[in-house]
Amino acid sequence: MQAIRSILVVLEPDRPEGLALKRAKLIAGVTQSHLHLLICDRKGNHADYLSDLADSLKAEGYSVTTQEAWLENLHQTIIAAQQAEGCGLVIKQHVPDNPLKKAILTPDDWKLLRYCPGPVLMVKTDKPWSGGNILAAVDVGNSDGEHRTLHATIVSHGYDIASLAHGTLHVISAHPSPMLSAADPTFQLKETIEARYRDECRAFQAEYDVSDERLHIEEGPADVLIPFVAHKLEAAVTVIGTVARSGLSGALIGNTAEVVLDTLESDVLVLKPEAIIAHLEELVAQR
């Protein structure tokens, strides 16, 4: 996160608590990042609000620009601004859709997570990050090159957040239940599965100083275990990644990140591998 030079902050004037801006100021205060404030609105009548807010932030020592825009929909407006400004992080407050609406329409925040060519921080709470637990969720059962790189990125970002917040980094990986019919004997016993998963974590444990006590290898579905462990730890931030399934044409996010977005009680940082980011950038450029 230290490499982030510019942060896109999605502002919603009808939500006066300003949780996204609060997190952006925390990160920019440490990384010296530029803040680009965006209001997504068809009417374009927030110039005075943005001007006053920018003046206030500049007086506090922040580098700030502002923008009001609207394209076809919310997520495309955000992504266009992110690409135009070269922002290395998007921060937005997340408000869950009601279950009925979500059953009929794909939520805007899910679309942003799917199609944004860069990290997205969804802010869900005003809980202080300072001194809190940071949970990095990895899937070490997938150990191909793309996943290994993504695991390192997830743990690295978790480590950076823990450092800037003077917090404690924890790592979780969910593993499948034992199957006596499994071709690999490792996956026939819970103990051997857990041992395999712990072995896969050794490298980043050493690099990022994650003790065995802070490495949580649990049996069960990731979309259940991640919120459970995050709740148990009272995590301030959960860092999660996604790798596209077969074929990049849809560039669809693995649904774990979408499912846990509403169930997690922490802020959520979602990361993607470079190959997916490059593909999504191409899609944006073609529009």
Tab-separated table of all heavy atoms in Angstrom, residues 1 134-140 146-162 169-172 204 208 210 226 237-243 269-273:
chain	number	residue	atom	x	y	z
A	1	MET	N	0.816	-1.208	0.000
A	1	MET	CA	0.000	0.000	0.000
A	1	MET	C	0.853	1.262	0.000
A	1	MET	O	0.389	2.330	-0.380
A	1	MET	CB	-0.929	0.012	1.213
A	1	MET	CG	-2.001	-1.047	1.148
A	1	MET	SD	-3.294	-0.815	2.357
A	1	MET	CE	-4.275	0.480	1.628
A	134	ILE	N	-6.205	-7.285	11.866
A	134	ILE	CA	-6.389	-7.282	10.420
A	134	ILE	C	-6.368	-8.740	9.973
A	134	ILE	O	-5.444	-9.479	10.315
A	134	ILE	CB	-5.256	-6.505	9.714
A	134	ILE	CG1	-5.024	-5.141	10.381
A	134	ILE	CG2	-5.561	-6.373	8.227
A	134	ILE	CD1	-6.236	-4.242	10.436
A	135	LEU	N	-7.384	-9.159	9.210
A	135	LEU	CA	-7.487	-10.552	8.784
A	135	LEU	C	-7.259	-10.656	7.275
A	135	LEU	O	-7.972	-10.046	6.486
A	135	LEU	CB	-8.865	-11.118	9.136
A	135	LEU	CG	-9.112	-12.590	8.774
A	135	LEU	CD1	-8.151	-13.509	9.529
A	135	LEU	CD2	-10.564	-12.986	9.053
A	136	ALA	N	-6.246	-11.424	6.877
A	136	ALA	CA	-5.973	-11.691	5.464
A	136	ALA	C	-6.465	-13.095	5.141
A	136	ALA	O	-6.054	-14.066	5.784
A	136	ALA	CB	-4.479	-11.563	5.172
A	137	ALA	N	-7.352	-13.214	4.149
A	137	ALA	CA	-7.936	-14.508	3.790
A	137	ALA	C	-7.293	-15.026	2.506
A	137	ALA	O	-7.339	-14.352	1.464
A	137	ALA	CB	-9.448	-14.370	3.603
A	138	VAL	N	-6.682	-16.209	2.574
A	138	VAL	CA	-6.024	-16.800	1.401
A	138	VAL	C	-6.574	-18.207	1.169
A	138	VAL	O	-7.103	-18.839	2.073
A	138	VAL	CB	-4.486	-16.863	1.578
A	138	VAL	CG1	-3.898	-15.469	1.618
A	138	VAL	CG2	-4.108	-17.631	2.841
A	139	ASP	N	-6.420	-18.666	-0.071
A	139	ASP	CA	-6.888	-20.003	-0.442
A	139	ASP	C	-5.669	-20.828	-0.845
A	139	ASP	O	-5.398	-21.020	-2.020
A	139	ASP	CB	-7.893	-19.901	-1.596
A	139	ASP	CG	-8.363	-21.261	-2.088
A	139	ASP	OD1	-8.151	-22.257	-1.355
A	139	ASP	OD2	-8.930	-21.333	-3.200
A	140	VAL	N	-4.916	-21.315	0.146
A	140	VAL	CA	-3.654	-21.991	-0.179
A	140	VAL	C	-3.868	-23.397	-0.740
A	140	VAL	O	-2.906	-24.060	-1.131
A	140	VAL	CB	-2.699	-22.043	1.045
A	140	VAL	CG1	-2.270	-20.649	1.437
A	140	VAL	CG2	-3.335	-22.765	2.219
A	146	GLU	N	-0.510	-18.189	-10.282
A	146	GLU	CA	-1.395	-17.033	-10.153
A	146	GLU	C	-1.903	-16.893	-8.724
A	146	GLU	O	-1.927	-15.798	-8.158
A	146	GLU	CB	-2.568	-17.174	-11.122
A	146	GLU	CG	-3.419	-15.920	-11.242
A	146	GLU	CD	-4.515	-16.053	-12.283
A	146	GLU	OE1	-5.066	-17.173	-12.439
A	146	GLU	OE2	-4.830	-15.057	-12.942
A	147	HIS	N	-2.294	-18.026	-8.127
A	147	HIS	CA	-2.779	-17.986	-6.752
A	147	HIS	C	-1.650	-17.622	-5.775
A	147	HIS	O	-1.858	-16.859	-4.836
A	147	HIS	CB	-3.389	-19.334	-6.346
A	147	HIS	CG	-4.818	-19.507	-6.780
A	147	HIS	ND1	-5.157	-20.053	-7.995
A	147	HIS	CD2	-5.986	-19.195	-6.164
A	147	HIS	CE1	-6.483	-20.083	-8.106
A	147	HIS	NE2	-7.005	-19.572	-7.009
A	148	ARG	N	-0.462	-18.188	-5.974
A	148	ARG	CA	0.655	-17.876	-5.075
A	148	ARG	C	0.951	-16.381	-5.071
A	148	ARG	O	1.165	-15.772	-4.019
A	148	ARG	CB	1.913	-18.653	-5.494
A	148	ARG	CG	1.896	-20.126	-5.112
A	148	ARG	CD	3.193	-20.802	-5.550
A	148	ARG	NE	3.198	-22.221	-5.247
A	148	ARG	CZ	3.576	-22.734	-4.079
A	148	ARG	NH1	3.971	-21.929	-3.102
A	148	ARG	NH2	3.544	-24.035	-3.878
A	149	THR	N	0.941	-15.787	-6.267
A	149	THR	CA	1.185	-14.342	-6.355
A	149	THR	C	0.082	-13.565	-5.645
A	149	THR	O	0.350	-12.593	-4.925
A	149	THR	CB	1.259	-13.906	-7.833
A	149	THR	OG1	2.273	-14.662	-8.487
A	149	THR	CG2	1.578	-12.429	-7.955
A	150	LEU	N	-1.163	-14.000	-5.832
A	150	LEU	CA	-2.280	-13.326	-5.181
A	150	LEU	C	-2.193	-13.475	-3.666
A	150	LEU	O	-2.435	-12.515	-2.921
A	150	LEU	CB	-3.606	-13.887	-5.697
A	150	LEU	CG	-4.875	-13.237	-5.127
A	150	LEU	CD1	-4.907	-11.746	-5.417
A	150	LEU	CD2	-6.120	-13.912	-5.702
A	151	HIS	N	-1.832	-14.677	-3.182
A	151	HIS	CA	-1.684	-14.879	-1.731
A	151	HIS	C	-0.678	-13.891	-1.151
A	151	HIS	O	-0.908	-13.261	-0.103
A	151	HIS	CB	-1.205	-16.309	-1.417
A	151	HIS	CG	-2.127	-17.374	-1.894
A	151	HIS	ND1	-1.719	-18.665	-2.133
A	151	HIS	CD2	-3.446	-17.346	-2.212
A	151	HIS	CE1	-2.750	-19.376	-2.553
A	151	HIS	NE2	-3.804	-18.607	-2.609
A	152	ALA	N	0.464	-13.766	-1.836
A	152	ALA	CA	1.511	-12.853	-1.362
A	152	ALA	C	1.001	-11.413	-1.338
A	152	ALA	O	1.278	-10.649	-0.403
A	152	ALA	CB	2.748	-12.967	-2.249
A	153	THR	N	0.212	-11.044	-2.353
A	153	THR	CA	-0.343	-9.691	-2.425
A	153	THR	C	-1.323	-9.445	-1.280
A	153	THR	O	-1.307	-8.385	-0.643
A	153	THR	CB	-1.066	-9.475	-3.776
A	153	THR	OG1	-0.140	-9.707	-4.836
A	153	THR	CG2	-1.605	-8.058	-3.890
A	154	ILE	N	-2.181	-10.426	-1.005
A	154	ILE	CA	-3.166	-10.292	0.078
A	154	ILE	C	-2.471	-10.126	1.423
A	154	ILE	O	-2.784	-9.216	2.204
A	154	ILE	CB	-4.102	-11.518	0.110
A	154	ILE	CG1	-4.995	-11.545	-1.129
A	154	ILE	CG2	-4.958	-11.532	1.381
A	154	ILE	CD1	-5.743	-12.848	-1.324
A	155	VAL	N	-1.513	-11.005	1.702
A	155	VAL	CA	-0.827	-10.943	3.004
A	155	VAL	C	0.007	-9.667	3.106
A	155	VAL	O	0.060	-9.027	4.171
A	155	VAL	CB	0.043	-12.197	3.222
A	155	VAL	CG1	0.761	-12.118	4.567
A	155	VAL	CG2	-0.818	-13.461	3.175
A	156	SER	N	0.627	-9.258	1.995
A	156	SER	CA	1.420	-8.028	1.985
A	156	SER	C	0.545	-6.809	2.301
A	156	SER	O	0.932	-5.945	3.107
A	156	SER	CB	2.091	-7.854	0.619
A	156	SER	OG	2.695	-6.586	0.510
A	157	HIS	N	-0.629	-6.728	1.682
A	157	HIS	CA	-1.533	-5.610	1.968
A	157	HIS	C	-2.031	-5.656	3.410
A	157	HIS	O	-2.153	-4.617	4.063
A	157	HIS	CB	-2.718	-5.627	0.998
A	157	HIS	CG	-2.440	-4.969	-0.322
A	157	HIS	ND1	-1.626	-5.540	-1.277
A	157	HIS	CD2	-2.851	-3.779	-0.851
A	157	HIS	CE1	-1.563	-4.740	-2.331
A	157	HIS	NE2	-2.292	-3.681	-2.100
A	158	GLY	N	-2.331	-6.875	3.901
A	158	GLY	CA	-2.734	-7.004	5.305
A	158	GLY	C	-1.645	-6.527	6.243
A	158	GLY	O	-1.902	-5.833	7.235
A	159	TYR	N	-0.402	-6.880	5.912
A	159	TYR	CA	0.750	-6.462	6.717
A	159	TYR	C	0.897	-4.935	6.700
A	159	TYR	O	1.141	-4.305	7.740
A	159	TYR	CB	2.016	-7.120	6.167
A	159	TYR	CG	3.279	-6.804	6.930
A	159	TYR	CD1	3.614	-7.517	8.088
A	159	TYR	CD2	4.149	-5.823	6.483
A	159	TYR	CE1	4.779	-7.239	8.785
A	159	TYR	CE2	5.317	-5.528	7.176
A	159	TYR	CZ	5.626	-6.243	8.317
A	159	TYR	OH	6.780	-5.959	9.007
A	160	ASP	N	0.727	-4.329	5.513
A	160	ASP	CA	0.829	-2.866	5.398
A	160	ASP	C	-0.246	-2.171	6.229
A	160	ASP	O	0.030	-1.176	6.911
A	160	ASP	CB	0.693	-2.430	3.935
A	160	ASP	CG	1.929	-2.761	3.112
A	160	ASP	OD1	2.970	-3.108	3.710
A	160	ASP	OD2	1.853	-2.688	1.871
A	161	ILE	N	-1.486	-2.688	6.159
A	161	ILE	CA	-2.567	-2.074	6.935
A	161	ILE	C	-2.300	-2.221	8.431
A	161	ILE	O	-2.477	-1.279	9.207
A	161	ILE	CB	-3.928	-2.699	6.562
A	161	ILE	CG1	-4.289	-2.366	5.114
A	161	ILE	CG2	-5.029	-2.201	7.500
A	161	ILE	CD1	-5.514	-3.095	4.596
A	162	ALA	N	-1.862	-3.417	8.842
A	162	ALA	CA	-1.535	-3.629	10.259
A	162	ALA	C	-0.426	-2.682	10.704
A	162	ALA	O	-0.467	-2.152	11.820
A	162	ALA	CB	-1.125	-5.084	10.483
A	169	LEU	N	-1.689	-8.609	12.495
A	169	LEU	CA	-2.095	-9.344	11.309
A	169	LEU	C	-2.401	-10.801	11.637
A	169	LEU	O	-1.598	-11.488	12.260
A	169	LEU	CB	-0.985	-9.278	10.246
A	169	LEU	CG	-1.205	-10.115	8.975
A	169	LEU	CD1	-2.439	-9.618	8.218
A	169	LEU	CD2	0.029	-10.074	8.085
A	170	HIS	N	-3.571	-11.271	11.204
A	170	HIS	CA	-3.953	-12.677	11.267
A	170	HIS	C	-4.203	-13.157	9.837
A	170	HIS	O	-4.570	-12.370	8.959
A	170	HIS	CB	-5.236	-12.871	12.077
A	170	HIS	CG	-5.083	-12.615	13.540
A	170	HIS	ND1	-5.085	-13.630	14.482
A	170	HIS	CD2	-4.942	-11.448	14.235
A	170	HIS	CE1	-4.945	-13.112	15.690
A	170	HIS	NE2	-4.860	-11.787	15.567
A	171	VAL	N	-4.021	-14.460	9.605
A	171	VAL	CA	-4.255	-15.044	8.287
A	171	VAL	C	-5.181	-16.248	8.437
A	171	VAL	O	-5.019	-17.054	9.363
A	171	VAL	CB	-2.934	-15.488	7.619
A	171	VAL	CG1	-3.209	-16.175	6.277
A	171	VAL	CG2	-2.002	-14.290	7.415
A	172	ILE	N	-6.164	-16.369	7.529
A	172	ILE	CA	-7.059	-17.524	7.541
A	172	ILE	C	-7.046	-18.201	6.177
A	172	ILE	O	-6.969	-17.543	5.142
A	172	ILE	CB	-8.514	-17.125	7.892
A	172	ILE	CG1	-9.419	-18.374	7.863
A	172	ILE	CG2	-9.045	-16.043	6.962
A	172	ILE	CD1	-10.833	-18.130	8.335
A	204	PHE	N	5.116	-17.129	3.646
A	204	PHE	CA	4.674	-15.776	4.024
A	204	PHE	C	4.592	-15.603	5.544
A	204	PHE	O	4.654	-14.484	6.044
A	204	PHE	CB	3.370	-15.358	3.317
A	204	PHE	CG	2.148	-16.188	3.582
A	204	PHE	CD1	1.546	-16.194	4.820
A	204	PHE	CD2	1.569	-16.934	2.571
A	204	PHE	CE1	0.396	-16.932	5.062
A	204	PHE	CE2	0.415	-17.674	2.786
A	204	PHE	CZ	-0.168	-17.670	4.038
A	208	TYR	N	6.324	-12.192	6.760
A	208	TYR	CA	5.489	-11.162	7.389
A	208	TYR	C	5.274	-11.401	8.875
A	208	TYR	O	4.382	-10.805	9.478
A	208	TYR	CB	4.144	-11.073	6.652
A	208	TYR	CG	4.307	-10.651	5.215
A	208	TYR	CD1	4.166	-11.570	4.178
A	208	TYR	CD2	4.642	-9.344	4.885
A	208	TYR	CE1	4.339	-11.197	2.855
A	208	TYR	CE2	4.819	-8.959	3.564
A	208	TYR	CZ	4.667	-9.887	2.560
A	208	TYR	OH	4.845	-9.512	1.250
A	210	VAL	N	4.083	-13.867	10.793
A	210	VAL	CA	2.776	-14.365	11.233
A	210	VAL	C	3.018	-15.629	12.062
A	210	VAL	O	3.413	-16.666	11.529
A	210	VAL	CB	1.858	-14.684	10.037
A	210	VAL	CG1	0.518	-15.231	10.524
A	210	VAL	CG2	1.651	-13.450	9.171
A	226	ILE	N	-14.725	-17.235	6.936
A	226	ILE	CA	-14.079	-15.918	6.965
A	226	ILE	C	-14.858	-14.943	7.859
A	226	ILE	O	-14.279	-14.332	8.758
A	226	ILE	CB	-13.880	-15.366	5.530
A	226	ILE	CG1	-12.859	-16.227	4.772
A	226	ILE	CG2	-13.399	-13.917	5.578
A	226	ILE	CD1	-12.794	-15.939	3.281
A	237	VAL	N	-10.354	-4.846	9.582
A	237	VAL	CA	-10.297	-4.956	8.124
A	237	VAL	C	-10.101	-6.425	7.757
A	237	VAL	O	-9.308	-7.127	8.390
A	237	VAL	CB	-9.124	-4.150	7.518
A	237	VAL	CG1	-9.216	-4.146	5.986
A	237	VAL	CG2	-9.083	-2.730	8.052
A	238	THR	N	-10.812	-6.879	6.719
A	238	THR	CA	-10.578	-8.202	6.135
A	238	THR	C	-10.088	-8.005	4.710
A	238	THR	O	-10.719	-7.280	3.932
A	238	THR	CB	-11.865	-9.044	6.132
A	238	THR	OG1	-12.348	-9.189	7.489
A	238	THR	CG2	-11.601	-10.431	5.556
A	239	VAL	N	-8.954	-8.630	4.380
A	239	VAL	CA	-8.375	-8.520	3.037
A	239	VAL	C	-8.643	-9.837	2.313
A	239	VAL	O	-8.325	-10.907	2.830
A	239	VAL	CB	-6.858	-8.255	3.091
A	239	VAL	CG1	-6.313	-7.992	1.681
A	239	VAL	CG2	-6.545	-7.079	4.015
A	240	ILE	N	-9.250	-9.751	1.126
A	240	ILE	CA	-9.629	-10.953	0.391
A	240	ILE	C	-9.287	-10.748	-1.076
A	240	ILE	O	-9.251	-9.610	-1.560
A	240	ILE	CB	-11.145	-11.243	0.594
A	240	ILE	CG1	-11.521	-12.627	0.074
A	240	ILE	CG2	-12.010	-10.160	-0.018
A	240	ILE	CD1	-12.913	-13.076	0.532
A	241	GLY	N	-9.022	-11.842	-1.786
A	241	GLY	CA	-8.652	-11.739	-3.197
A	241	GLY	C	-9.567	-12.559	-4.065
A	241	GLY	O	-10.395	-13.326	-3.580
A	242	THR	N	-9.399	-12.411	-5.371
A	242	THR	CA	-10.183	-13.200	-6.299
A	242	THR	C	-9.345	-13.543	-7.522
A	242	THR	O	-8.520	-12.766	-7.969
A	242	THR	CB	-11.452	-12.461	-6.749
A	242	THR	OG1	-12.147	-13.278	-7.684
A	242	THR	CG2	-11.120	-11.148	-7.425
A	243	VAL	N	-9.558	-14.734	-8.056
A	243	VAL	CA	-8.946	-15.172	-9.307
A	243	VAL	C	-10.076	-15.582	-10.226
A	243	VAL	O	-10.989	-16.299	-9.813
A	243	VAL	CB	-7.995	-16.366	-9.077
A	243	VAL	CG1	-7.507	-16.919	-10.407
A	243	VAL	CG2	-6.805	-15.944	-8.230
A	269	LEU	N	-11.184	-5.165	2.021
A	269	LEU	CA	-10.313	-4.788	0.908
A	269	LEU	C	-10.252	-5.966	-0.054
A	269	LEU	O	-9.868	-7.070	0.337
A	269	LEU	CB	-8.911	-4.447	1.410
A	269	LEU	CG	-7.862	-4.127	0.329
A	269	LEU	CD1	-8.245	-2.882	-0.455
A	269	LEU	CD2	-6.471	-3.952	0.950
A	270	VAL	N	-10.648	-5.738	-1.322
A	270	VAL	CA	-10.677	-6.803	-2.337
A	270	VAL	C	-9.586	-6.543	-3.370
A	270	VAL	O	-9.510	-5.460	-3.951
A	270	VAL	CB	-12.056	-6.888	-3.019
A	270	VAL	CG1	-12.065	-7.984	-4.080
A	270	VAL	CG2	-13.144	-7.168	-1.975
A	271	LEU	N	-8.751	-7.578	-3.603
A	271	LEU	CA	-7.615	-7.475	-4.517
A	271	LEU	C	-7.765	-8.452	-5.670
A	271	LEU	O	-8.419	-9.486	-5.534
A	271	LEU	CB	-6.306	-7.782	-3.768
A	271	LEU	CG	-6.053	-6.975	-2.490
A	271	LEU	CD1	-4.818	-7.508	-1.777
A	271	LEU	CD2	-5.876	-5.497	-2.804
A	272	LYS	N	-7.116	-8.142	-6.794
A	272	LYS	CA	-7.123	-9.023	-7.968
A	272	LYS	C	-5.698	-9.227	-8.464
A	272	LYS	O	-4.835	-8.365	-8.263
A	272	LYS	CB	-7.938	-8.400	-9.106
A	272	LYS	CG	-9.388	-8.096	-8.770
A	272	LYS	CD	-10.084	-7.512	-9.992
A	272	LYS	CE	-11.500	-7.089	-9.675
A	272	LYS	NZ	-11.540	-5.838	-8.905
A	273	PRO	N	-5.443	-10.337	-9.177
A	273	PRO	CA	-4.122	-10.539	-9.779
A	273	PRO	C	-3.900	-9.587	-10.954
A	273	PRO	O	-4.847	-9.061	-11.538
A	273	PRO	CB	-4.158	-11.991	-10.278
A	273	PRO	CG	-5.413	-12.583	-9.726
A	273	PRO	CD	-6.340	-11.461	-9.419
